[in-house]
Amino acid sequence: MPDPFADLRNELAVANRILANEGIIDAFGHISVRNPKNPERYFISRHRASELVEPSDILEMTLDSKPVVPTNVRLYSEMVIHGEIYKARSDVNSVCHHHAPAVLPFCATGVELVPLFHLGASMGDKVPFWDSRDEFGDTNLLVRTPEEGASHARALGPHFMLLLRRHGASLAGRSLRECVFRSIYTTRNAEMQLRAMAIGTLGPLSPGEAEKCGSHNLGSRGVERAWEYWVTRLQKAEATWAAAGLPRMKGLAEVAHPQTAGLKSSKSRTPSSGRKLARARKK
Amino acid sequence: MPDPFADLRNELAVANRILANEGIIDAFGHISVRNPKNPERYFISRHRASELVEPSDILEMTLDSKPVVPTNVRLYSEMVIHGEIYKARSDVNSVCHHHAPAVLPFCATGVELVPLFHLGASMGDKVPFWDSRDEFGDTNLLVRTPEEGASHARALGPHFMLLLRRHGASLAGRSLRECVFRSIYTTRNAEMQLRAMAIGTLGPLSPGEAEKCGSHNLGSRGVERAWEYWVTRLQKAEATWAAAGLPRMKGLAEVAHPQTAGLKSSKSRTPSSGRKLARARKK
Amino acid sequence: MPDPFADLRNELAVANRILANEGIIDAFGHISVRNPKNPERYFISRHRASELVEPSDILEMTLDSKPVVPTNVRLYSEMVIHGEIYKARSDVNSVCHHHAPAVLPFCATGVELVPLFHLGASMGDKVPFWDSRDEFGDTNLLVRTPEEGASHARALGPHFMLLLRRHGASLAGRSLRECVFRSIYTTRNAEMQLRAMAIGTLGPLSPGEAEKCGSHNLGSRGVERAWEYWVTRLQKAEATWAAAGLPRMKGLAEVAHPQTAGLKSSKSRTPSSGRKLARARKK
Amino acid sequence: MPDPFADLRNELAVANRILANEGIIDAFGHISVRNPKNPERYFISRHRASELVEPSDILEMTLDSKPVVPTNVRLYSEMVIHGEIYKARSDVNSVCHHHAPAVLPFCATGVELVPLFHLGASMGDKVPFWDSRDEFGDTNLLVRTPEEGASHARALGPHFMLLLRRHGASLAGRSLRECVFRSIYTTRNAEMQLRAMAIGTLGPLSPGEAEKCGSHNLGSRGVERAWEYWVTRLQKAEATWAAAGLPRMKGLAEVAHPQTAGLKSSKSRTPSSGRKLARARKK
């Protein structure tokens, strides 16, 4: 029986590896996607670094973050970050949690992250803070219990990015690609803010600009252009490793080059995958 | 019928990929070149990341930034940045627009970018600022309408680099290679200024030094030496990907190694491309 | 006669190359491991850069840092760093000494390194300072004599990380992998602290959080996940060099992919090495 | 007739490419070596980026920086930096001039570069400043005339590193490898100083420590270990490009792996080159 979620597993595996390839996730961190056919379920990798995730690593979870099919493989200890956001936010279909080096200084100081350029506006109108100590006292800082997960989701509220004091960031997206886009460009914005604060006074986007930039950049044009770029960069890296004799990572061939509308040189390169993706998105 | 602009398309595709390879442009940003035979036209890629641009992606535009040949492929939404500068500045034959991480902190704070070393003097005598809010209020910060494009070109005035508040930078060059050179070395100067401001008081070039350095470095010697270096670095990257089985990017073989005057080892390596380039430049 | 320490030599060689590949050690620095069968001995590479270390470079030393088997190959001049810590600390089975760029600014200023995120808590409750000038006056800053080594070990005391003024850092681990983990994540914490101090006031982990985070992250789950990630990254780099015709570095094939419990795609990839490692750890 | 300077050309070509590979020199900058058989001559590449230099690019110059054999290839415009130092300093056998990003902020601010760790002590007891404006007024900042070259050499005086205001750095070495070592580790020290000044008060080496560290690290042990490391890293990069079909860069095979004393695995790898180097050094 063919797996009805094969495309989704491929895309989520690739999203994991893009976030590793672009420097957002190292050994720790994770990204998930809601089951498009059953909103009470989501997909996430078993316990391993994003750079290594393949479609066969992807497991299905209930919103209580329990595996739908019992398993004895190791699971991430912080899955409630994902499940509790999916419970609280029906508009959210993808969640990412990471500890990118440019974002952590904000988590360590409490300095507010503000949108400083059009692409950074993907952070949304506000990036709230969550401090696990407020409700739970001294912990190992991980978000492990349903109560911690629910508290974390409440702190996110209606927003799309949350900073965790002394820990990292969690992001939500209406789609997997939007979540990847937001994870990468908010990190670029954080990098810029670190550098800008060292030389002068910040002049962030006005609320009106932030709203317009967010809408524009998260439209399909911008997200697809960036996705094609990140997929291509990942292809280059992974093709090199495969040519060197390492096992070819699975999942990438099926999602390559989404932008096939248009010129011949591109069309001839990836006709089937482009169509496959187009179909996947229509579902 | 052979394409009379084949060389130009190759060179512009390579310029795109050099700017990606050197970290100036990521998924967003673009570079264009004026049609050397018809100053009312310019060439630019369709809507895609610079790292992916091949000669067949290059389209010809009128100075109103409309495609000369009607097309249904996606186009950049900010082409008026290019068209309106070409209208206003007959001395300009190439325009670049980017969001390099080292330049954005200046766009976010309004701190003036100043020449701090001889190669940074390629920025020209002054780098003005343009704030879209002044004339157009809250927008999505992109330069999309002819009015926005014209305002942006007026802000550039007679200069060669313009900072866009909360957005990025636009650069002009008398040639494509000068525009690439300026885009890269002004970014290096920005990086240096960020670091220098953190430790002491800036001692920038005097106006006389800036003028002499700019003239010297933008002479053909310096630009050609740097171009050979960037082309070689791109060759190394792209040869590796092609050897790994990815389709070989087009356009690079034709512009490789411009510096063929001189010693044998270099001459024997790229005789035809060097001559081809030499011919192209004489036209 | 088979070498009873072949697995250990492989693992120590790989640890050396991981620390190089992750940017912790450049031409200088070293890591050692105590002989698990004879606590009065330890293993360390001969005098060469970590990036180049292979199992055959690994020599056995007494705790006085003399080679067990006389040799005329060059040895590191700072081996007493290792030997004297092993003498003083029976709980320590691995020692690393490095000059990572992110840690050196703390060594140059005396600013205290504090845990700012959960993974940084691997530094332990406190990172003391050792200044060779206090006891030994002007030296070449290297830790060469038994007296210097003993003084350095006293400064470490019961802790797991020590900063050496105007020099670098030394770290201890209960296992080799713990020592690698601590070396890498304390460097990431240092990087974060440098950036955080530039924008605001640090809010470090509470002592309770630091203790809980340290225990959790240094448990086998976290260390193994990170180890798999670093091994995979090293594999990618080394496979590329080997495919290019350079001699394949020895030792990596035997320690690859420790996380073989679980899904098929991973199991089929590295069955024997996974089992070999599992066996090695049981010893 | 075999070239009596073949080994030297190989080594100088490799030194050029090491400095490019380690991020010290980009499109601009150069390194030279004095003719060991005729102190009135030195060798330097023709006008091209260091990353591209091969043995056949190396030309011989008089101390007046004129080519010994007339040539019509392009030459660097700043060769007097080299020739005038060789005239003034009989103890100097190699000169490097670069614009490394970490050093330029010191050139732009006049902040003094001080030794902050043992390897940084290779800068010597003091790093003086030279401002071309003092004697020559507004220039294009390049050191082109014999008078400028002589003034620059006077500013260096008996030291080994000189900062050029608004321009870059020049370094001298008693040998080529020492000059490479000093160029790289003073740049690492500059990077550290930039970061350290952002968080606290510098505690540099005492004069006694600086002297002892400089002597120790510039001894053959340290220089050879670092040279082996840099050569290996260059090998990895260049082997990858050659395997991808690019012409193999010349000169590297002959200087690889100097540290052949000792263990078998290394000996068997590069027997002839090691011996060749050993012979070259005895000359």
Side-chain angles (χ1 to χ4, degrees):
Chain A
M1 197 184 70
D3 174 6
F5 297 106
D7 284 345
L8 200 69
R9 284 181 213 266
N10 289 334
E11 182 128 345
L12 181 56
V14 168
N16 267 279
R17 279 137 55 191
I18 283 175
L19 290 171
N21 198 45
E22 301 296 331
I24 309 301
I25 292 184
D26 67 343
F28 299 98
H30 16 81
I31 183 166
S32 69
V33 65
R34 195 195 289 264
N35 182 332
K37 300 196 173 163
N38 180 352
E40 300 296 312
R41 302 276 170 83
Y42 69 95
F43 292 93
I44 193 168
S45 167
R46 67 177 176 114
H47 180 266
R48 70 181 338 192
S50 285
E51 184 164 328
L52 284 67
V53 171
E54 296 192 273
S56 58
D57 293 316
I58 306 290
L59 304 177
E60 193 177 8
M61 302 289 154
T62 67
L63 295 198
D64 285 332
S65 299
K66 304 296 181 199
V68 171
V69 176
T71 176
N72 59 2
V73 303
R74 285 184 184 168
L75 303 175
Y76 293 130
S77 57
E78 296 190 300
M79 289 195 303
V80 293
I81 286 178
H82 304 260
E84 299 301 319
I85 290 177
Y86 291 129
K87 281 185 193 169
R89 292 279 298 275
S90 63
D91 61 324
V92 167
N93 293 305
S94 181
V95 172
C96 176
H97 173 70
H98 70 75
H99 323 100
V103 171
L104 285 168
F106 296 89
C107 305
T109 56
V111 169
E112 196 183 3
L113 197 61
V114 294
L116 292 179
F117 78 135
H118 55 308
L119 295 161
S122 57
M123 72 177 60
D125 59 336
K126 183 184 161 69
V127 179
F129 262 97
W130 181 69
D131 188 336
S132 57
R133 211 188 282 158
D134 292 343
E135 246 177 277
F136 305 98
D138 281 356
T139 67
N140 68 9
L141 289 176
L142 301 186
V143 185
R144 297 156 309 158
T145 67
E147 293 71 27
E148 288 166 347
S151 168
H152 170 278
R154 279 195 303 276
L156 178 66
H159 305 291
F160 284 93
M161 181 174 186
L162 175 70
L163 293 184
L164 287 65
R165 275 200 202 261
R166 306 177 301 288
H167 180 162
S170 298
L171 299 104
R174 278 161 296 211
S175 71
L176 180 62
R177 293 185 184 185
E178 180 184 304
C179 192
V180 169
F181 187 96
R182 177 171 286 123
S183 298
I184 293 177
Y185 276 111
T186 52
T187 300
R188 303 288 177 254
N189 191 95
E191 178 68 40
M192 188 194 322
Q193 186 169 341
L194 286 170
R195 294 170 148 206
M197 290 180 75
I199 62 165
T201 304
L202 299 181
L205 273 60
S206 72
E209 286 174 330
E211 194 281 328
K212 285 174 197 246
C213 287
S215 308
H216 177 86
N217 291 314
L218 297 168
S220 68
R221 267 177 69 101
V223 170
E224 291 307 303
R225 174 163 154 201
W227 180 260
E228 183 191 32
Y229 169 71
W230 293 319
V231 161
T232 303
R233 283 161 59 87
L234 184 64
Q235 271 186 321
K236 289 171 174 175
E238 296 195 346
T240 305
W241 300 322
L246 294 177
R248 186 173 292 272
M249 298 287 283
K250 295 207 170 55
L252 184 57
E254 287 72 23
V255 300
H257 284 299
Q259 278 202 341
T260 54
L263 301 192
K264 233 179 306 178
S265 71
S266 154
K267 226 179 210 158
S268 66
R269 193 184 296 161
T270 57
S272 64
S273 61
R275 284 200 301 272
K276 182 172 279 193
L277 263 192
R279 259 184 288 129
R281 280 197 299 272
K282 272 183 217 140
K283 284 174 192 171
Chain B
M1 196 184 73
D3 174 7
F5 296 107
D7 284 345
L8 201 67
R9 284 181 213 266
N10 289 334
E11 182 127 345
L12 181 55
V14 168
N16 267 278
R17 280 138 53 191
I18 284 175
L19 291 171
N21 198 45
E22 301 297 331
I24 309 301
I25 293 184
D26 67 345
F28 299 98
H30 16 81
I31 184 165
S32 69
V33 65
R34 195 195 289 264
N35 183 331
K37 299 196 173 164
N38 180 351
E40 300 296 312
R41 301 275 170 85
Y42 70 94
F43 292 93
I44 193 167
S45 167
R46 67 177 177 115
H47 179 264
R48 70 182 339 193
S50 286
E51 185 164 327
L52 283 67
V53 172
E54 296 192 270
S56 59
D57 293 317
I58 307 289
L59 304 176
E60 193 177 7
M61 302 289 154
T62 67
L63 295 198
D64 285 332
S65 299
K66 304 295 181 199
V68 171
V69 177
T71 177
N72 59 2
V73 302
R74 286 186 183 166
L75 303 176
Y76 293 130
S77 58
E78 297 190 300
M79 289 195 303
V80 293
I81 285 178
H82 303 261
E84 299 300 319
I85 290 176
Y86 290 130
K87 280 185 193 169
R89 291 279 299 275
S90 62
D91 60 324
V92 167
N93 293 305
S94 181
V95 172
C96 176
H97 174 70
H98 70 75
H99 323 100
V103 170
L104 284 168
F106 296 89
C107 305
T109 56
V111 169
E112 195 182 6
L113 197 61
V114 294
L116 292 180
F117 78 134
H118 54 309
L119 295 161
S122 57
M123 72 178 60
D125 59 337
K126 182 184 161 67
V127 179
F129 262 98
W130 182 69
D131 188 337
S132 58
R133 211 189 282 158
D134 291 343
E135 246 177 278
F136 304 98
D138 281 356
T139 67
N140 68 9
L141 289 176
L142 301 187
V143 185
R144 297 156 310 159
T145 68
E147 293 71 28
E148 288 166 347
S151 168
H152 170 278
R154 280 194 303 275
L156 178 65
H159 306 291
F160 285 93
M161 182 174 185
L162 176 69
L163 294 185
L164 288 67
R165 275 201 203 260
R166 305 176 302 287
H167 180 162
S170 298
L171 298 105
R174 278 160 296 212
S175 71
L176 180 64
R177 292 184 185 187
E178 180 184 304
C179 192
V180 169
F181 187 96
R182 178 172 286 123
S183 298
I184 293 176
Y185 276 111
T186 53
T187 301
R188 304 287 176 255
N189 192 95
E191 178 69 39
M192 188 194 323
Q193 187 169 340
L194 286 170
R195 294 170 149 207
M197 290 179 74
I199 62 165
T201 304
L202 299 180
L205 274 60
S206 72
E209 286 174 330
E211 194 281 329
K212 285 174 198 248
C213 287
S215 308
H216 177 85
N217 290 314
L218 297 168
S220 67
R221 267 178 69 100
V223 170
E224 291 307 303
R225 174 164 154 200
W227 180 260
E228 183 191 31
Y229 169 71
W230 293 318
V231 161
T232 302
R233 283 161 59 86
L234 183 64
Q235 270 185 322
K236 289 172 175 176
E238 296 196 345
T240 306
W241 300 323
L246 294 177
R248 186 173 292 273
M249 298 287 284
K250 296 207 170 53
L252 184 57
E254 286 73 22
V255 301
H257 285 298
Q259 278 201 340
T260 54
L263 301 190
K264 233 180 305 178
S265 70
S266 154
K267 225 180 212 160
S268 65
R269 192 185 297 162
T270 58
S272 63
S273 62
R275 284 200 301 271
K276 181 172 279 194
L277 263 193
R279 258 185 290 129
R281 280 197 299 272
K282 270 184 219 143
K283 284 176 191 171
Chain C
M1 196 185 71
D3 174 6
F5 297 107
D7 285 344
L8 200 68
R9 285 181 212 267
N10 289 334
E11 182 128 345
L12 182 55
V14 168
N16 267 279
R17 280 137 55 191
I18 284 175
L19 291 170
N21 198 45
E22 300 298 330
I24 309 301
I25 293 185
D26 66 346
F28 299 97
H30 17 80
I31 183 166
S32 69
V33 65
R34 195 195 288 265
N35 182 332
K37 300 197 173 164
N38 180 352
E40 299 297 312
R41 303 275 170 83
Y42 69 95
F43 292 93
I44 193 167
S45 167
R46 66 179 178 112
H47 180 265
R48 69 182 339 194
S50 286
E51 186 165 327
L52 284 67
V53 171
E54 296 191 271
S56 59
D57 293 317
I58 307 290
L59 305 177
E60 193 176 8
M61 302 290 154
T62 67
L63 295 198
D64 285 331
S65 299
K66 304 295 181 200
V68 171
V69 176
T71 176
N72 59 2
V73 303
R74 284 185 185 168
L75 303 176
Y76 294 130
S77 57
E78 297 190 300
M79 289 195 303
V80 292
I81 286 177
H82 304 260
E84 299 301 318
I85 290 177
Y86 291 128
K87 281 185 193 169
R89 292 278 298 275
S90 62
D91 60 324
V92 167
N93 293 304
S94 181
V95 172
C96 175
H97 173 69
H98 70 74
H99 323 99
V103 171
L104 285 168
F106 296 89
C107 305
T109 57
V111 170
E112 196 183 3
L113 197 60
V114 294
L116 293 179
F117 79 135
H118 54 308
L119 295 161
S122 57
M123 72 178 59
D125 59 336
K126 182 185 161 68
V127 179
F129 262 97
W130 181 68
D131 187 337
S132 57
R133 211 187 282 156
D134 292 343
E135 247 178 278
F136 304 99
D138 281 355
T139 67
N140 69 8
L141 289 176
L142 301 186
V143 185
R144 298 156 308 158
T145 67
E147 293 72 25
E148 288 165 347
S151 168
H152 170 278
R154 279 193 304 274
L156 178 65
H159 306 291
F160 286 93
M161 182 174 185
L162 176 68
L163 293 184
L164 287 67
R165 274 199 202 261
R166 306 177 301 287
H167 180 162
S170 299
L171 298 104
R174 278 161 295 212
S175 71
L176 180 63
R177 293 183 185 187
E178 180 184 303
C179 192
V180 169
F181 188 97
R182 177 172 285 123
S183 298
I184 293 176
Y185 276 110
T186 53
T187 300
R188 303 291 176 252
N189 192 95
E191 178 68 40
M192 187 194 323
Q193 187 169 341
L194 287 170
R195 294 170 148 208
M197 290 179 74
I199 62 165
T201 304
L202 299 180
L205 274 60
S206 72
E209 286 174 330
E211 194 280 329
K212 285 174 198 247
C213 287
S215 308
H216 178 86
N217 291 314
L218 297 167
S220 67
R221 268 177 68 101
V223 170
E224 291 307 303
R225 174 163 153 200
W227 179 260
E228 183 191 31
Y229 169 71
W230 294 318
V231 161
T232 302
R233 284 161 58 87
L234 184 64
Q235 270 185 322
K236 289 171 175 176
E238 297 195 345
T240 306
W241 301 323
L246 295 176
R248 186 173 293 273
M249 298 287 285
K250 295 205 172 53
L252 184 57
E254 286 73 22
V255 300
H257 284 298
Q259 277 201 341
T260 54
L263 301 191
K264 234 180 305 179
S265 70
S266 154
K267 226 179 208 160
S268 66
R269 192 184 297 160
T270 56
S272 63
S273 61
R275 284 200 301 271
K276 181 173 278 193
L277 263 192
R279 258 185 290 128
R281 280 196 300 272
K282 271 184 218 141
K283 282 175 193 172
Chain D
M1 196 184 72
D3 174 6
F5 296 107
D7 284 345
L8 201 67
R9 285 183 212 266
N10 289 335
E11 182 127 346
L12 182 56
V14 168
N16 267 279
R17 280 136 56 191
I18 284 175
L19 290 170
N21 198 45
E22 300 297 331
I24 309 301
I25 293 184
D26 67 345
F28 300 98
H30 17 81
I31 184 166
S32 69
V33 65
R34 194 194 288 265
N35 182 332
K37 300 197 172 163
N38 180 351
E40 299 297 311
R41 302 276 170 85
Y42 69 95
F43 291 92
I44 194 168
S45 167
R46 66 177 178 113
H47 179 265
R48 71 181 339 193
S50 287
E51 185 165 326
L52 283 67
V53 171
E54 296 192 271
S56 58
D57 293 317
I58 307 290
L59 304 177
E60 193 177 7
M61 302 289 154
T62 67
L63 294 199
D64 285 332
S65 299
K66 305 295 181 200
V68 171
V69 177
T71 176
N72 60 1
V73 303
R74 284 185 185 168
L75 304 176
Y76 293 130
S77 57
E78 297 190 300
M79 288 195 303
V80 293
I81 286 177
H82 303 260
E84 298 302 318
I85 290 176
Y86 291 128
K87 281 184 193 168
R89 292 278 298 275
S90 62
D91 60 324
V92 168
N93 293 306
S94 181
V95 172
C96 175
H97 173 70
H98 71 74
H99 323 100
V103 170
L104 285 168
F106 296 89
C107 304
T109 57
V111 169
E112 195 182 5
L113 196 61
V114 295
L116 292 180
F117 78 134
H118 55 308
L119 296 161
S122 56
M123 71 178 61
D125 59 337
K126 182 185 161 67
V127 179
F129 262 96
W130 182 68
D131 188 339
S132 56
R133 212 188 280 158
D134 292 342
E135 246 178 279
F136 304 99
D138 281 355
T139 67
N140 68 9
L141 290 176
L142 301 186
V143 185
R144 297 156 309 158
T145 68
E147 293 72 25
E148 288 166 347
S151 168
H152 170 278
R154 280 194 304 275
L156 179 66
H159 306 292
F160 285 92
M161 181 175 186
L162 176 69
L163 293 185
L164 288 66
R165 274 200 203 261
R166 305 177 301 287
H167 180 161
S170 298
L171 299 104
R174 279 161 294 211
S175 71
L176 179 63
R177 293 183 185 188
E178 181 183 304
C179 193
V180 169
F181 187 96
R182 178 172 285 123
S183 298
I184 293 176
Y185 275 110
T186 52
T187 300
R188 302 289 176 253
N189 192 95
E191 177 68 39
M192 188 193 324
Q193 188 169 341
L194 287 170
R195 294 170 149 208
M197 289 179 75
I199 61 165
T201 305
L202 300 180
L205 274 60
S206 72
E209 286 174 330
E211 194 279 328
K212 284 174 198 246
C213 287
S215 309
H216 177 85
N217 291 314
L218 298 168
S220 68
R221 266 177 69 100
V223 170
E224 290 307 304
R225 173 163 154 201
W227 179 260
E228 183 191 31
Y229 169 70
W230 293 319
V231 160
T232 302
R233 283 161 59 86
L234 183 64
Q235 271 186 321
K236 290 172 175 177
E238 297 195 345
T240 306
W241 301 322
L246 295 177
R248 187 172 291 273
M249 299 287 285
K250 295 205 170 54
L252 183 57
E254 287 72 22
V255 301
H257 284 298
Q259 277 200 342
T260 54
L263 301 191
K264 235 180 305 179
S265 70
S266 155
K267 227 179 210 160
S268 64
R269 191 184 298 161
T270 57
S272 64
S273 62
R275 286 200 301 271
K276 182 172 280 191
L277 263 193
R279 259 184 288 129
R281 280 197 299 273
K282 270 183 220 142
K283 282 174 195 173

